[in-house]
């Protein structure tokens, strides 16, 4: 298990947050994803084999940009 | 690293945060949107209200279309693009509704040139301008909600002054290493966590613990990074740097708590996740129904657009997190760290408060409470402290710190009798300090003191008998002193009608004595540390339990309880335990946490009520054709702004 803390740009409404949760949640190996519209941060818990790239792609798929990923 | 001193208040170049960039972005869009929208409004109003035409009927729609174009497709481009992409990828969001609403309105204007349909192109610009304005105000207000947290983030020092040999060097905080000796002058921030090696001063720790009085620091004291040195020069050895510091832990904890969801939010989240597609369907059905019933395509179009733009998932989605943000920010400022948002909701259901004794109700370290002496009290303390200063026992520390001697007498033949006391010689005199058992071993009579001893023991105190040349001189009673505000805090809880229990590993007698002094009637004594969680579980049969204890020994009980409140003191806070962490080890903090939780939860409920209420009332009104699209958009913008403003009002309460 590992945790990612992802800073996301472009969110401006509540649906945005739930869109990202939905999209990232679909990445295989992701256990949980909670997005805070307030802090613009997303906390992702996932298996060790999940790559940063996959998370970035999932966020982009929902229409937003990853600014930075912290472990 | 050069030896040149640079200015301490050296301004740092900082990149604007995402938030600032967003606010600036919306502001720019807002200004440009209105530059084009105001002329449209004048043209439209002039035509409608005053009844005169500035331009011939044929030219007018083209002028309005031209003016509306930059509003929709330049200032609104991001919204339009994001919204349309959402429609195609099925990641619908707020933008999808606005994009659809404004585009339909704009194209109705284009069609108007060829057909005799209604022209909503002017309306489209107004909707977009109001939307952008609403977003600007909303983003700004949201920034306000996070002000306490932001202050916390900016609290850390940027520079540190180091002692290298005999030279003072200023370095960037990132260059600091563990073991470095930092010099902190009066009025300066302590750069990072450390231990004072030289100097004395008072330090203002209010920004971390909420404690308003400065704390005295001397050699050996632990200091926390980001706290403010008051009046003396301190030489501090850095013990923790970067992400290991106390401040970094607090920030991390508060940020993670922002991400946790509280149960009441689930419903709101569920609604927001299906909100946009539902509205798309409702708007389409409304349009069809109006067209079918009235045959008036212009009215039908207007009503459909109204429904699209009035619906707003924002208020719903923001209702809970915004209140949580303000609440947890207020807490952080006062040394109350809400680690799990859920605790705010659970807190209101709590009926039973369980307190750990040692370190929670009491200070957790013994203090001298009574001295009974047959000789001069000073002399008794003098010889007692001279011996005890050689021992590491907590009771010895209590006696030494009470005596507070400048000079100790020379002790020879010093001996520690494990579990009983100490012995030694001062000059030619044989000194024995210890419990009854040691006196009996050494054949020292203390019958005349016996009554006093029993008296102290019945109050739960530990006694030390001091004997000189086989003669008992007096007794020193030591007890784990009660924190100054424990009784007051428990009194408040009693008055609020909570059931209060004290849980301790101590014997019944000691436990009862302490409980009596703070006003607790229910005592569960002789509990082994590993059984505390079990006791909490038993109490949970009678209602929701909040457990207040220190995070180190009581972690399982904190976890078992419905709300675990972990107490800290100084730098020793076990951050991983507890749903709520109190930085300062005072029970008043538990009351403040209780009040803050209740107030925050009330705001959350209010916000949800307004957000749901708004949509439940306004959407049918729009469907009924009562709301004109422009007013619908104003109402929409106001709904999310009002939710944020309401949350910001939480700051008015006192906790």
């Amino acid at each position: 298990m590992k945790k990612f803390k992802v800073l996301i740009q472009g969110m401006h409404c509540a649906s945005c947050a739930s869109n990202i949760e939905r999209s990232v949640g679909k990445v295989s190996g992701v256990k949980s994803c909670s997005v805070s519209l307030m802090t613009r941060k997303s906390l992702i818990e996932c298996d060790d084999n999940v790559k940063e790239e996959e998370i970035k792609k999932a966020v982009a798929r929902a229409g937003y940009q990853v600014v930075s990923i912290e472990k | 690293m050069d030896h040149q001193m640079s200015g301490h208040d050296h301004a740092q170049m900082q990149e604007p945060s995402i938030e600032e960039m967003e606010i600036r972005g919306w502001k720019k869009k807002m200004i440009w949107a209105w530059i084009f929208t105001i002329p449209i409004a004048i043209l439209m109003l002039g035509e409608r209200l005053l009844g005169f035409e500035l331009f011939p009927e044929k030219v007018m729609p083209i002028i309005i279309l031209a003016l509306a174009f930059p509003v929709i497709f330049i200032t609104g481009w991001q919204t339009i693009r994001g919204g349309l992409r959402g429609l195609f990828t099925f990641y619908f969001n707020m933008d999808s509704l606005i994009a659809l609403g404004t585009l339909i309105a704009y194209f109705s204007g284009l069609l108007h040139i060829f057909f005799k349909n209604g022209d909503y192109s002017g309306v489209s610009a107004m909707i977009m301008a109001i939307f952008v304005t609403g977003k600007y105000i909303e983003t700004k207000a949201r920034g306000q909600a996070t002000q306490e947290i932001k202050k916390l983030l900016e609290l850390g020092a940027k520079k540190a002054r180091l002692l290298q040999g005999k030279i003072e060097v200023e370095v960037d905080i990132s260059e600091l290493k563990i073991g470095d000796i930092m010099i902190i002058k009066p009025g300066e921030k302590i750069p990072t966590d450390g231990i004072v090696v030289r100097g004395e001063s008072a330090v203002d720790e209010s920004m971390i613990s909420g404690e308003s009085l400065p704390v005295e620091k001397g050699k050996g004291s632990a200091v926390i990074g980001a706290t403010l040195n008051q009046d003396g020069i301190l030489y501090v050895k850095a013990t923790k740097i970067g992400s290991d510091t106390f401040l970094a832990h607090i920030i991390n904890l508060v940020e993670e708590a922002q991400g946790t969801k509280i149960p009441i939010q689930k419903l709101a989240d569920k609604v927001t996740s299906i909100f946009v597609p539902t509205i798309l369907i409702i708007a389409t059905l409304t349009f069809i129904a109006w067209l079918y019933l009235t045959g008036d395509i212009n009215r039908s179009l207007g009503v459909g657009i109204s429904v699209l733009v009035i619906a707003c998932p924002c208020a719903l989605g923001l209702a809970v997190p915004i209140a949580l943000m303000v609440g947890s920010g207020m807490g952080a400022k006062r040394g109350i760290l809400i680690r799990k948002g859920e605790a705010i909701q659970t807190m209101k259901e709590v009926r039973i408060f369980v307190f750990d004794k040692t370190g929670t109700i009491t200070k957790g370290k013994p203090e001298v409470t009574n001295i009974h002496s047959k000789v001069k009290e000073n002399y008794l303390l003098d010889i007692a402290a001279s011996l005890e200063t050689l021992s590491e026992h907590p009771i010895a520390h209590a006696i030494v710190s009470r005596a507070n001697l400048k000079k100790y007498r020379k002790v020879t033949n010093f001996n520690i009798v494990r579990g009983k006391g100490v012995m030694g010689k001062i000059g030619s005199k044989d000194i024995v300090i210890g419990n009854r058992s040691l006196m009996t071993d050494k054949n020292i009579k203390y019958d005349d003191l016996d009554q006093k001893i029993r008296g102290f023991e019945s109050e739960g105190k530990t006694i030390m008998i001091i004997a000189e040349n086989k003669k008992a001189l007096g007794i020193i009673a030591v007890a784990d002193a009660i924190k100054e505000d424990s009784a007051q805090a428990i009194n408040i809880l009693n008055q609020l009608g909570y059931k209060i229990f004290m849980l301790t590993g101590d014997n019944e007698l000691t436990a009862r004595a302490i409980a009596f002094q703070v006003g607790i009637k229910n005592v569960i004594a002789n509990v082994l540390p590993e059984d505390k969680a079990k006791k909490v579980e038993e109490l949970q049969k009678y209602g929701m339990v909040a457990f207040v204890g220190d995070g180190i020994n009581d972690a399982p009980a904190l976890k078992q309880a419905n709300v675990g409140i972990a107490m800290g003191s100084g730098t020793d806070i076990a951050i991983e335990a507890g749903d709520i962490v109190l930085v300062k080890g005072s029970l008043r903090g538990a009351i403040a946490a209780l009040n803050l939780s209740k107030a925050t939860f009330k705001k959350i409920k209010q916000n949800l009520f307004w957000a749901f209420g708004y949509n439940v009332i306004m959407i049918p009104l729009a469907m009924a054709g009562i709301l004109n699209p422009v007013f619908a958009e104003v109402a929409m913008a106001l709904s999310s702004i009002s939710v944020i403003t309401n949350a910001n009002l939480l700051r008015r309460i006192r906790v």
Side-chain angles (χ1 to χ4, degrees), chain A residues 3 5 7-16 18-23 26 34-41 43 60-65 67, chain B residues 18-19 21-22 26 85 90-95 135 138-139 142 145-146 252 255-256 258-261 272-273 276 313-314 317-318 321-322 325:
Chain A
K3 272 187 190 174
K5 211 195 236 173
L7 187 60
I8 296 167
Q9 193 172 15
M11 277 193 281
H12 46 77
C13 75
S15 299
C16 299
S18 70
N19 280 341
I20 294 172
E21 282 173 11
R22 186 153 64 98
S23 181
K26 280 183 191 158
S34 86
V35 179
S36 162
L37 178 59
M38 298 300 305
T39 51
R40 296 169 177 78
K41 274 184 188 159
L43 213 64
R61 190 168 57 211
Y64 310 90
Q65 301 96 49
V67 179
Chain B
I18 296 183
E19 188 188 312
M21 273 160 40
E22 278 182 20
W26 285 118
R85 185 166 54 194
F90 287 94
Y91 284 103
F92 302 109
N93 58 30
M94 177 73 211
D95 291 350
K135 279 289 154 197
E138 187 190 308
T139 315
R142 245 166 56 190
T146 60
N252 196 26
E255 275 190 345
E256 282 194 15
Q258 300 296 337
T260 67
K261 300 250 155 117
T272 18
S273 66
V276 178
C314 278
L318 280 173
I322 193 96
M325 179 63 111

Side-chain angles (χ1 to χ4, degrees), chain B residues 498-573:
Chain B
Y498 288 100
K499 275 228 163 299
I500 305 172
F501 286 83
M502 187 174 93
L503 208 56
T504 177
D506 282 1
N507 64 62
E508 188 88 23
L509 191 71
T510 315
R512 287 263 167 218
I514 300 279
F516 178 75
Q517 289 176 63
V518 293
I520 296 181
K521 289 182 207 79
N522 311 301
V523 177
I524 307 173
N526 297 314
V527 184
L528 295 171
E530 57 268 32
D531 289 339
K532 282 184 179 170
K534 220 184 284 166
K535 290 285 171 198
V536 169
E537 200 182 340
E538 283 170 28
L539 287 172
Q540 279 173 323
K541 284 179 203 143
Y542 305 99
M544 293 267 203
V545 172
F547 181 84
V548 189
D550 76 70
I552 301 147
N553 305 313
D554 300 333
L558 286 167
K559 220 170 182 175
Q560 173 65 39
N562 302 89
V563 180
I565 303 178
M567 296 275 246
S569 55
T571 46
D572 304 325
I573 72 167

Side-chain angles (χ1 to χ4, degrees), chain B residues 376-395:
Chain B
K376 266 202 179 140
E377 199 177 293
N378 278 348
Y379 178 70
L380 190 80
L381 271 174
D382 208 279
I383 55 171
S386 296
L387 260 80
E388 296 288 15
T389 191
L390 303 170
S391 161
E392 285 296 324
H393 196 276
I395 291 180

Side-chain angles (χ1 to χ4, degrees), chain B residues 132-182:
Chain B
V132 169
T133 309
K135 279 289 154 197
Y136 168 66
I137 299 173
E138 187 190 308
T139 315
K140 255 190 114 159
R142 245 166 56 190
Q144 217 174 46
T146 60
Q147 60 177 317
E148 282 97 353
I149 312 273
K150 259 182 269 159
K151 268 185 202 144
L152 204 62
L153 292 172
E154 289 158 7
L155 210 53
K158 309 263 183 294
K159 299 256 168 191
R161 207 193 298 268
L162 295 186
L163 191 64
Q164 292 189 335
K166 289 216 161 132
I167 315 159
E168 284 182 20
V169 189
E170 198 177 66
V171 299
D172 202 77
I173 193 80
S174 58
E175 293 171 39
L176 205 60
K177 287 182 293 295
I178 289 174
D180 280 347
I181 306 289
M182 309 175 284

Side-chain angles (χ1 to χ4, degrees), chain B residues 433-486:
Chain B
I433 304 173
N435 56 16
R436 289 162 187 261
S437 150
L438 185 63
M439 297 301 134
T440 316
D441 289 354
K442 295 288 151 196
N443 237 334
I444 299 167
K445 295 239 177 312
Y446 56 91
D447 296 342
D448 49 340
L449 294 171
D450 206 48
Q451 209 188 339
K452 273 276 173 207
I453 293 172
R454 279 177 203 284
F456 290 143
E457 278 176 347
S458 73
E459 289 166 20
K461 292 165 183 166
T462 308
I463 56 102
M464 290 278 123
I465 304 167
I466 294 99
E468 186 185 71
N469 291 337
K470 304 249 165 201
K471 245 181 63 197
L473 296 183
I475 41 184
I476 294 176
V478 172
D480 184 2
I482 295 169
K483 288 178 189 166
E484 285 78 12
D485 45 14
S486 292

